[in-house]
Amino acid sequence: MFGPQVPSVTADQVAPGAYLLDVREPDEWTAGHAPGAHHLPMMEVPARMAEVPSDGEVVVVCRAGGRSGQVVAYLMNNGWDNVRNLDGGMQVWAAVGKDMVSEDGQPARVL
């Protein structure tokens, strides 16, 4: 989607110990996200970049891959070389049966 400058991984390629950075909005996060993911809405990334690990694999995720691709490009332009975009985002994550949890007591879903 973003060409060779933005590296990506598929849901099946995400390593068990990867740091999942979910950049969706709070309502999307509440509805359903990967267990153990870290929530950092896209618009807060510039002010909170220090929270993003600079070592180990960081996989950035949104609903379909557009916002997360922009965040990956932004982080790479600011010195991160360990970030990857989740190809297809949470839509593909859910479609391939990866675990999800919600924060609102409802079954986990992708908004």
Side-chain angles (χ1 to χ4, degrees):
M1 173 183 253
F2 293 97
Q5 73 277 14
V6 175
S8 65
V9 295
T10 66
D12 290 333
Q13 293 172 326
V14 175
Y19 186 98
L20 287 174
L21 180 66
D22 192 318
V23 298
R24 296 175 300 151
E25 293 300 311
D27 62 326
E28 294 173 289
W29 168 265
T30 298
H33 56 86
H38 303 269
H39 187 220
L40 178 56
M42 178 181 179
M43 298 310 290
E44 296 179 24
V45 169
R48 297 173 57 190
M49 286 191 323
E51 296 176 32
V52 180
S54 57
D55 59 349
E57 182 179 20
V58 175
V59 177
V60 186
V61 59
C62 67
R63 182 178 58 234
R67 287 172 286 177
S68 53
Q70 292 175 37
V71 170
V72 167
Y74 181 81
L75 290 169
M76 290 179 72
N77 286 334
N78 283 278
W80 274 257
D81 62 1
N82 61 322
V83 290
R84 308 286 177 265
N85 186 30
L86 181 62
D87 192 30
M90 286 303 296
Q91 289 177 332
V92 170
W93 183 271
V96 299
K98 293 285 204 172
D99 287 341
M100 291 177 57
V101 295
S102 72
E103 301 293 323
D104 61 6
Q106 300 295 318
R109 64 219 179 271
V110 178
L111 294 184

